[in-house]
Amino acid sequence: MIILKIGGSIITNKDSIEPEVDYDNLNRISGEIAEAYNNESLDIADGLIIVHGAGSFGHPPAKKYKIGEPFTNEEYPLKRKGFSEIVLSMKKLNLCVCESLLKQGIPVVPIQTSAVVKAYDKRINDFDLKMIKTYLKEGYVPVLYGDVVIDDKLKMSILSGDQIIEYVASFLASDRVVLGTDVDGVYDKNPKIHEDAKLIEKVSSLDDITQLESTVNVDVTGGMIGKVKELLTLADNGVDSEIINANKPGIISKCLQGEKVKGTKITKKQ
Ligand code: ADP
């Protein structure tokens, strides 16, 4: 089974204040996934789960309503409104993603994360995987996404797509985990700020990122560092993963079909 994560930075215009789908990228990527999915010599059709990020559909309202921060009882009604706004916004993005994939013939089934997951202090503590397993068995491609969820400690918190893949890949013992983002992989420092940043081909510990302090939190879910932390936990649970550049045409298709592409592998320390 393969779990593919598509970053919010790829399928939305992330810097836009208003939610905005990047249809050029989304439709191209759907085509690339379909190319691999329809390759009968691969077993990808035996099990594929897609997880996508939130980008401009989730991060601006999450910031606006300060989701994840403590609040008083008086503030709860406003917070609930923020929760609903994010749930609906993410459903819209998920529908766009699923429609694009279905147009390419992929039998998708959207799974609303906030309807099946509960957290405690920002970490998943209850995730009903039963229906996902059933859909996989019946040949569907479940599509999950980063979302706002009920949190037993904080009342509500943001759950990143990266944490979802860590949990799902660990529990379903995924064979491969691929994350498509907007850079070639993990660098020794933020490549968007530092021209001389060097790509790290293999990460087995946070110490491998020598200039960690420049790897700033670019969003509420922790940006690249958040991603690497989740993937190191996943590697500890026995599942390796790879981060690749989904902005470059052809990379996702090649990677899903088992060809070697530029990127970073996250593996357990030997
Ligand atoms: P996505 O939305 O695809 O999940 P994020 O935007 O959360 O991805 O994280 C990717 C971003 O992380 C890159 O665009 C880059 O600007 C930033 N980043 C910060 N530090 C690093 C680093 N050391 N290596 C790679 N990317 C980094």
Side-chain angles (χ1 to χ4, degrees):
M1 191 185 69
I2 301 185
I3 300 187
L4 170 69
K5 152 111 197 285
I6 315 163
S9 62
I10 295 294
I11 52 169
T12 76
N13 297 320
K14 200 168 174 171
D15 300 329
S16 150
I17 304 160
E18 291 298 314
E20 227 175 71
V21 177
D22 185 334
Y23 281 105
D24 287 346
N25 263 352
L26 174 59
N27 292 331
R28 172 182 56 78
I29 287 168
S30 295
E32 290 193 31
I33 297 170
E35 222 173 279
Y37 188 77
N38 294 325
N39 182 340
E40 282 166 13
S41 64
L42 295 174
D43 57 1
I44 180 170
D46 288 345
L48 172 66
I49 297 179
I50 297 174
V51 178
H52 65 80
S56 54
F57 283 71
H59 297 303
K63 225 170 164 176
K64 176 179 159 198
Y65 289 101
K66 300 195 175 90
I67 307 291
E69 290 180 25
F71 59 88
T72 60
N73 273 345
E74 289 69 46
E75 290 169 309
Y76 206 175
L78 181 68
K79 289 276 186 175
R80 276 196 204 97
K81 204 178 137 266
F83 187 101
S84 299
E85 255 183 49
I86 299 169
V87 167
L88 295 194
S89 181
M90 285 311 299
K91 275 181 86 104
K92 280 184 196 158
L93 174 60
N94 179 248
L95 185 60
C96 296
V97 173
C98 288
E99 279 176 344
S100 174
L101 288 161
L102 180 59
K103 259 191 213 149
Q104 296 289 340
I106 299 177
V108 289
V109 60
I111 308 278
Q112 184 189 323
T113 306
S114 44
V116 291
V117 180
K118 222 167 58 160
Y120 182 87
D121 203 12
K122 304 185 185 178
R123 303 300 300 174
I124 296 172
N125 77 340
D126 189 2
F127 194 156
D128 190 355
L129 292 169
K130 216 167 65 215
M131 278 314 290
I132 294 179
K133 284 187 196 162
T134 304
Y135 278 121
L136 281 172
K137 202 169 110 258
E138 294 299 323
Y140 293 93
V141 174
V143 183
L144 291 119
Y145 49 93
D147 205 353
V148 62
V149 294
I150 292 284
D151 189 304
D152 282 338
K153 185 177 181 195
L154 304 162
K155 297 280 182 206
M156 59 185 74
S157 60
I158 297 293
L159 183 64
S160 69
D162 300 324
Q163 193 183 149
I164 294 173
I165 55 167
E166 186 273 300
Y167 190 95
V168 175
S170 298
F171 276 87
L172 299 184
S174 179
D175 301 301
R176 292 186 64 203
V177 172
V178 175
L179 285 90
T181 186
D182 67 344
V183 286
D184 283 344
V186 183
Y187 288 76
D188 59 346
K189 46 191 165 180
N190 190 343
K192 291 266 174 81
I193 302 172
H194 302 277
E195 264 182 34
D196 63 338
K198 287 185 193 68
L199 184 70
I200 312 170
E201 284 190 0
K202 210 164 123 184
V203 172
S204 302
S205 148
L206 278 185
D207 298 337
D208 294 336
I209 308 166
T210 47
Q211 300 202 30
L212 205 58
E213 67 283 357
S214 83
T215 304
V216 287
N217 280 1
V218 290
D219 60 40
V220 282
T221 57
M224 189 52 80
I225 275 299
K227 224 179 283 306
V228 173
K229 281 183 184 162
E230 299 294 353
L231 298 177
L232 285 170
T233 308
L234 180 61
D236 275 342
N237 293 341
V239 183
D240 290 348
S241 55
E242 46 202 311
I243 301 179
I244 57 166
N245 195 335
N247 254 343
K248 292 187 178 161
I251 299 275
I252 284 202
S253 166
K254 277 192 193 139
C255 183
L256 290 180
Q257 295 184 75
E259 281 182 49
K260 195 175 158 32
V261 296
K262 198 172 181 180
T264 299
K265 286 202 162 49
I266 319 283
T267 59
K268 196 173 172 172
K269 211 172 193 153
Q270 295 303 325

